[in-house]
Amino acid sequence: MRKGASGWLAKGLLLLLVASFAVWGIGGDMLTSSVGSNVIEVGKTRVSLGEFQRDYQRNLNILSQRFGTQLTQEQARQFGLAQMTINQIASRALIAEKTRSMGLNADDDAIRNVIRSQPAFQNQFNQFDRIMFEQFLAQNGYSEAQYVEIVRNNITGEQLFGSLPLGIAEAPAPLTDTIYGFIGEKRSADYINILDSSIGFAPAPTDEELQTLVDDNPENYTAPEYRKISYILLTPASVAAETEISDDELQADYEARKEEFDIPEKRTVQQMIFETEDAAKAAQAKITEGQSFADVAMSDLQLTTTDINLGVVSPNDLLPELQGPIFALQKDAVTEPVKTVLGWHLATVTDIEPGEARSFADVKDDLKQELQLQRSHDLLYDRAAKLEDEFAGGATLADAAQTLGFKVVTTDWIDANGLQKSGDAAADLPQSPGFLSEAFARTTEDEPEVSELAGGGYYSLAVNAVEDAAVKPLAEVKDQAIQDWQNSWRHQETVKKAEALQDRLEKGESLEAIAAELSLPVQTSTAALRNEMEGELSPAALEDLFTLQPGAYGVSVNKEGNGTLLYGLNQVIPADPETDKEMFTQISGRIMNSLRAGIVAEYENHLQKEIGMSVKEELIQEYF
């Protein structure tokens, strides 16, 4: 279509079509949708597709900010963003319709007070900041009037709904006690851990048994989808050499930034800090009399050589008051006492690394490379635009590369993680989070597009071939399948052994006696809640433990998955609100909030029937 539209015949037909509009005019019905422009109707409130789109985009931006990345439309669909937007708009409209019919309203002062009191609009002095307010409106796509109406709706909505759950001052005690008693109970177990490795011998499986294993567990023996990808990569480094920088430009930039290139003098410094000037002068006198700086630090301040050593420093590493005195010292000399906010300092220099003033010739090459990289962005943008023009004209990746003189790189078979069939990482793939995702989302028929690299630059890719994920032939996975089959067989034997021991326990033998017979220790797990993930027991064992009665025993896989646990109840610790008030309060609060939310939801359902609501979901799904 693109190639055809670029021809003179197609352009001529388009001109004739435009001319016919000029002669015959455009009927009003051609400018309106046959399905109507409103997608949500609540009472007398009408919400157009454009209004819905603005709310949808606003929610998409908020969700993207929350996840720290721009969500795609497919991801938005997975989050159910369209339905969430429908619910928000419908709820807002129901409130507006009902409060209007009841005569509820919010005056301008109330609205102003709500807006001015919101923390998001207040500066560091807790004062309303108009600029912050306007930035919020711009970032979220609101006009001031729209936001005022939202606040008005929230206030009247609170008037309408706020009184509904007031009768629920606290959660019903029987309900709270029952739920807390279930959630807050703890149990511990006495158990032995019978490892699969204790079953030493495992028979050799037949090919039929191995094939059944592969067929029953294809995910363990499936080669991933592989693709061959071609791509064009435009990076700052790849075009930097083509950016011309004159010597005059380099010289001017050097002069403007000369201090950046000079290597400053550095010194190895030791220091002592005293609370008073007299104490500092007394220490200085001892050093003058012949004591070493380190000895005085130990005798006067009980500081070791490590404590007083500042290491190698440049002037900027020091407090401003110390820079001049320390960098004016001769090696091994000691400063006069110097006062700073920290106290009175004495310092000595044990080594000096001279600075170096780097000339233009010294830094010319590095400076040129830096400026080339800076200016390469403009060149990259121009090349990306030309590449887009080629694609818009119907060119393939290879055609565009040949026309523009770009290099095309073609990979061998790679998977969605960038690994080759050998398991090695493919070399030189674009370092962009979206590259492989895009490569495995496209088809061989898709037209190429230009995408941005996170660190600056652009790429375009095409899918050359696709090798679908497939279960490997038994011959390729036979060694792995044999090991898996034998591991499974050992585990099944361990389970049988544990179940036989369970029968003996339930007939009266003790866990200690059986453990001694197996030369295994009896272990006791820490008391745990039924949904607790930490601890010694596997989730399956912990879940089963909460079904056991005293004197009964259970069998489950161990936490590591390499053996079987045989266990019985050690202790049941009932939930106690007095020892865990925080959990009890949280559960009570959640129950109360749930009941209140249920009342509000039921009233909103009633309003839908009373006021009437319709949603053109099929039309919304077409766009979103």
Side-chain angles (χ1 to χ4, degrees):
M1 289 178 67
R2 285 177 175 169
K3 289 181 178 179
S6 64
W8 285 108
L9 176 60
K11 291 177 180 177
L13 290 173
L14 288 172
L15 288 172
L16 288 174
L17 181 61
V18 172
S20 69
F21 287 150
V23 174
W24 300 106
I26 302 175
D29 59 344
M30 296 178 70
L31 300 177
T32 58
S33 169
S34 60
V35 297
S37 59
N38 296 325
V39 292
I40 300 176
E41 297 181 4
V42 179
K44 296 180 181 179
T45 302
R46 304 288 184 268
V47 180
S48 68
L49 184 61
E51 291 173 297
F52 180 88
Q53 185 173 13
R54 283 192 293 274
D55 275 37
Y56 176 89
Q57 187 61 46
R58 188 178 300 117
N59 286 333
L60 180 61
N61 292 340
I62 292 172
L63 205 58
S64 296
Q65 289 175 4
R66 189 171 299 168
F67 284 97
T69 184
Q70 184 59 45
L71 299 180
T72 65
Q73 290 298 332
E74 178 58 34
Q75 290 170 325
R77 279 190 286 271
Q78 292 173 0
F79 278 109
L81 194 61
Q83 187 60 52
M84 184 180 80
T85 306
I86 291 171
N87 295 343
Q88 287 178 345
I89 293 173
S91 179
R92 205 160 58 225
L94 283 169
I95 292 172
E97 288 285 321
K98 185 63 177 178
T99 54
R100 191 183 304 120
S101 69
M102 296 174 66
L104 298 177
N105 201 358
D107 60 29
D108 292 343
D109 287 340
I111 294 171
R112 187 182 301 109
N113 290 336
V114 168
I115 292 175
R116 294 178 69 87
S117 65
Q118 291 186 23
F121 308 145
Q122 293 180 346
N123 59 25
Q124 65 268 34
F125 305 109
N126 295 323
Q127 297 172 337
F128 176 74
D129 190 316
R130 178 78 189 182
I131 295 176
M132 295 175 69
F133 176 57
E134 291 177 351
Q135 287 175 342
F136 169 83
L137 296 180
Q139 289 170 356
N140 292 279
Y142 292 117
S143 68
E144 187 169 325
Q146 286 174 328
Y147 190 72
V148 166
E149 193 58 33
I150 288 173
V151 174
R152 188 189 307 276
N153 191 272
N154 288 342
I155 294 174
T156 55
E158 181 60 28
Q159 294 171 351
L160 177 63
F161 289 110
S163 62
L164 292 177
L166 291 180
I168 304 177
E170 60 182 16
L175 183 59
T176 304
D177 291 342
T178 301
I179 294 177
Y180 174 71
F182 179 82
I183 294 176
E185 179 186 315
K186 291 184 176 182
R187 294 192 175 196
S188 62
D190 291 327
Y191 67 93
I192 58 174
N193 187 9
I194 307 172
L195 296 178
D196 296 340
S197 57
S198 65
I199 310 295
F201 169 80
T206 65
D207 285 351
E208 289 76 13
E209 288 172 323
L210 292 176
Q211 189 62 58
T212 299
L213 177 68
V214 172
D215 293 342
D216 291 344
N217 303 275
E219 67 279 1
N220 295 334
Y221 308 98
T222 297
E225 178 183 318
Y226 287 100
R227 295 187 170 206
K228 287 187 176 181
I229 310 295
S230 291
Y231 61 89
I232 295 170
L233 181 61
L234 304 175
T235 63
S238 67
V239 299
E242 302 174 35
T243 306
E244 294 297 329
I245 309 289
S246 69
D247 285 349
D248 290 342
E249 289 177 295
L250 292 173
Q251 184 71 49
D253 195 65
Y254 170 77
E255 295 297 337
R257 301 165 52 197
K258 186 175 181 180
E259 292 184 358
E260 294 180 25
F261 303 113
D262 290 343
I263 299 174
E265 178 184 321
K266 292 185 178 181
R267 296 186 166 207
T268 303
V269 177
Q270 294 178 343
Q271 76 163 358
M272 294 182 277
I273 305 176
F274 298 88
E275 292 185 4
T276 66
E277 183 179 11
D278 289 342
K281 286 184 175 181
Q284 183 187 28
K286 292 179 182 180
I287 296 171
T288 303
E289 292 170 359
Q291 294 188 43
S292 71
F293 196 88
D295 288 343
V296 173
M298 176 57 70
S299 64
D300 287 21
L301 299 174
Q302 290 73 55
L303 297 177
T304 66
T305 303
T306 301
D307 297 329
I308 63 176
N309 189 26
L310 291 183
V312 180
V313 298
S314 61
N316 291 336
D317 297 324
L318 299 171
L319 291 168
E321 299 92 336
L322 294 172
Q323 292 175 5
I326 288 178
F327 275 81
L329 281 181
Q330 298 295 322
K331 182 181 176 184
D332 297 325
V334 178
T335 64
E336 293 293 324
V338 179
K339 189 177 187 305
T340 74
V341 294
L342 301 178
W344 289 88
H345 298 247
L346 283 182
T348 185
V349 174
T350 61
D351 193 24
I352 297 175
E353 298 179 15
E356 179 185 352
R358 301 178 72 192
S359 67
F360 174 66
D362 293 332
V363 301
K364 181 179 178 181
D365 291 341
D366 292 339
L367 186 58
K368 182 176 181 179
Q369 185 177 10
E370 181 183 336
L371 292 179
Q372 284 178 325
L373 284 173
Q374 291 175 2
R375 298 185 185 182
S376 64
H377 291 286
D378 292 337
L379 182 58
L380 279 175
Y381 181 80
D382 179 64
R383 292 194 171 188
K386 290 180 179 179
L387 191 58
E388 284 184 326
D389 289 343
E390 289 295 318
F391 294 152
T396 64
L397 191 80
D399 293 339
Q402 185 173 8
T403 301
L404 299 174
F406 294 163
K407 178 184 177 182
V408 175
V409 179
T410 300
T411 71
D412 199 350
W413 294 108
I414 60 173
D415 66 14
N417 295 313
L419 300 179
Q420 299 174 319
K421 289 187 175 182
S422 64
D424 298 325
D428 302 326
L429 291 179
Q431 297 302 304
S432 173
F435 178 79
L436 286 171
S437 299
E438 184 177 341
F440 277 78
R442 289 179 164 273
T443 70
T444 55
E445 304 300 320
D446 286 343
E447 298 174 354
E449 297 176 356
V450 177
S451 301
E452 289 190 48
L453 290 167
Y458 303 88
Y459 69 86
S460 296
L461 64 85
V463 180
N464 300 332
V466 177
E467 185 178 286
D468 292 332
V471 177
K472 299 176 184 178
L474 180 59
E476 288 186 22
V477 298
K478 191 167 185 177
D479 290 343
Q480 178 190 346
I482 290 173
Q483 183 175 357
D484 292 346
W485 188 94
Q486 290 181 329
N487 288 341
S488 176
W489 184 89
R490 287 190 181 94
H491 183 70
Q492 291 170 14
E493 290 299 308
T494 306
V495 172
K496 292 176 185 177
K497 181 177 180 179
E499 288 174 344
L501 296 172
Q502 181 184 17
D503 289 339
R504 290 169 57 183
L505 288 170
E506 291 176 350
K507 290 177 181 177
E509 293 190 48
S510 70
L511 186 63
E512 288 75 13
I514 288 177
E517 178 184 315
L518 299 175
S519 299
L520 292 173
V522 175
Q523 303 179 68
T524 300
S525 68
T526 54
L529 300 169
R530 65 181 67 239
N531 59 350
E532 200 166 314
M533 297 304 295
E534 300 297 328
E536 305 91 324
L537 303 182
S538 64
L542 186 61
E543 181 180 359
D544 184 49
L545 183 65
F546 277 84
T547 68
L548 289 184
Q549 297 298 319
Y553 293 87
V555 170
S556 289
V557 66
N558 65 10
K559 192 170 185 177
E560 295 75 19
N562 62 355
T564 302
L565 299 179
L566 176 60
Y567 49 86
L569 268 176
N570 170 269
Q571 189 179 20
V572 176
I573 305 174
D576 182 5
E578 293 301 319
T579 59
D580 194 359
K581 291 182 179 180
E582 183 178 355
M583 179 186 287
F584 183 83
T585 302
Q586 286 179 353
I587 291 173
S588 178
R590 288 173 185 171
I591 292 172
M592 185 168 62
N593 291 337
S594 178
L595 293 174
R596 288 177 172 177
I599 292 173
V600 171
E602 285 301 317
Y603 183 60
E604 196 165 301
N605 290 337
H606 165 73
L607 290 182
Q608 289 185 20
K609 297 174 183 177
E610 178 187 284
I611 296 171
M613 184 178 84
S614 66
V615 179
K616 294 179 180 176
E617 294 193 11
E618 292 183 0
L619 179 58
I620 291 173
Q621 289 173 1
E622 279 186 40
Y623 289 89
F624 306 99

